[in-house]
């Protein structure tokens, strides 16, 4: 999440102060990614250092107002034009957890998957209820439209996560069956030499000759 570019986007319509930017950011995203005032002012200080914003007076209550500069507008336009880079995906705690659970002593990875699936489905149901409440929005209300887009992205994300968990469980079952088959094959291969050894004569003793076919009691044809 780019707080830096989000604040630039909120500053483009006009001057804002720190807590106002935090409120508008959370309103636009439905408080999905809550900010604290410290984060906002730290980011504003860095933007000011980089020439993206400047302080421009105060409002009637004495709040310092920030204004976007031409350099900030150019930075914002480049951000909107550039696709999000997926070559370095963000760390996903669930993926890391399952990767670490594989082979971890005393950990039942399928139990981990089941627990996460329950949470994911519950989250998906909660998001779906929120969407039902948010569908009757006016196109003029940009905050509501923005929140609806974020909400739908969360729904798609949890749906994909649920499918991925199903896939992980199915793969583990297949791997478990393959391991069992390989172990059975190894046991069978170990049993063959033992069976052959039981039918062999003692060391130094010649095997008994096989009976000749077609001979009667007298040994004559």
């Amino acid at each position: 999440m780019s707080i830096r570019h989000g604040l630039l986007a909120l500053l483009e319509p006009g001057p804002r102060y720190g807590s106002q930017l935090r409120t508008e950011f959370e309103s636009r995203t439905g408080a999905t990614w809550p900010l604290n005032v410290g984060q906002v002012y730290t980011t504003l200080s860095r933007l000011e250092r980089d020439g993206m914003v400047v302080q421009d007076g105060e409002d009637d209550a004495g709040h310092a107002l920030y204004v976007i500069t031409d350099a900030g507008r150019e930075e914002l336009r480049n951000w909107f034009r550039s696709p999000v880079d997926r070559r370095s995906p963000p760390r996903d705690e669930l993926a890391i957890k399952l990767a670490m659970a594989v082979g971890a002593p005393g950990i039942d990875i399928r139990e981990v998957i089941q627990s996460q699936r329950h949470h994911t489905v519950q989250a998906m149901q909660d998001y779906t209820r929120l969407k039902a409440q948010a569908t009757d929005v006016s196109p003029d209300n940009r905050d509501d439209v923005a929140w609806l887009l974020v909400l739908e992205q969360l729904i798609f994300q949890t749906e994909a996560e649920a499918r991925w968990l199903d896939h992980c469980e199915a793969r583990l079952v297949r791997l478990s069956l393959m391991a069992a088959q390989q172990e059975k094959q190894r046991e069978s291969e170990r049993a063959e030499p033992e069976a052959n050894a039981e039918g062999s004569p003692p060391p130094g003793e010649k095997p008994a000759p096989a009976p000749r076919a077609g001979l009667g009691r007298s040994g004559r044809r």
Side-chain angles (χ1 to χ4, degrees):
M1 178 185 61
S2 178
I3 300 174
R4 173 186 178 94
H5 294 99
L7 297 184
L8 286 175
L10 294 172
L11 283 170
E12 190 173 26
R16 300 284 192 280
Y17 56 87
S19 58
Q20 185 180 15
L21 286 167
R22 182 193 66 172
T23 300
E24 291 187 10
F25 186 94
E26 293 184 352
S27 177
R28 189 74 60 89
T29 60
T32 304
W33 301 286
L35 298 178
N36 60 55
V37 174
Q39 284 178 290
V40 173
Y41 279 106
T42 298
T43 305
L44 286 172
S45 295
R46 291 172 180 165
L47 288 170
E48 188 175 16
R49 177 199 63 194
D50 296 339
M52 304 294 175
V53 303
V54 293
Q55 291 190 44
D56 186 20
E58 299 178 346
D59 66 1
D60 295 337
H63 298 114
L65 295 173
Y66 289 83
V67 177
I68 190 170
T69 64
D70 289 340
R73 289 190 177 88
E74 183 61 25
E75 172 75 11
L76 183 61
R77 282 193 293 269
N78 289 336
W79 182 59
F80 282 132
R81 283 195 298 257
S82 303
V84 176
D85 190 355
R86 296 298 183 190
R87 290 173 297 180
S88 299
R91 292 182 181 88
D92 184 282
E93 183 179 355
L94 177 57
I96 294 172
K97 181 186 289 188
L98 293 189
M100 296 299 107
V102 174
I107 300 299
D108 184 348
I109 188 170
R110 277 184 275 189
E111 183 179 337
V112 176
I113 291 173
Q114 289 288 353
S115 175
Q116 182 63 42
R117 182 187 287 112
H118 175 77
H119 175 81
T120 301
V121 170
Q122 182 63 55
M124 188 161 45
Q125 292 171 348
D126 292 341
Y127 294 147
T128 302
R129 280 194 294 270
L130 289 172
K131 180 183 175 182
Q133 299 169 6
T135 48
D136 296 329
V137 299
S138 169
D140 295 332
N141 191 329
R142 295 187 178 185
D143 285 353
D144 286 348
V145 173
W147 164 229
L148 183 59
L149 294 178
V150 170
L151 190 55
E152 288 173 332
Q153 191 271 345
L154 292 172
I155 292 172
F156 290 140
Q157 191 175 51
T158 49
E159 287 175 346
E161 183 172 284
R163 290 196 302 270
W164 178 65
L165 289 169
D166 290 341
H167 167 79
C168 289
E169 189 169 40
R171 179 173 290 280
L172 289 170
V173 169
R174 288 196 300 271
L175 291 175
S176 178
L177 290 174
M178 287 175 58
Q181 290 172 354
Q182 290 172 354
E183 180 61 26
K184 186 176 181 180
Q185 179 66 25
R186 285 193 290 268
E187 290 178 357
S188 176
E189 291 172 354
R190 286 195 297 266
E192 276 187 22
E194 295 175 0
N196 293 336
E198 288 177 1
S200 301
E205 182 177 326
K206 294 183 178 179
R212 298 175 60 187
L215 294 178
R217 290 184 180 181
S218 63
R220 299 177 181 176
R221 295 184 182 273

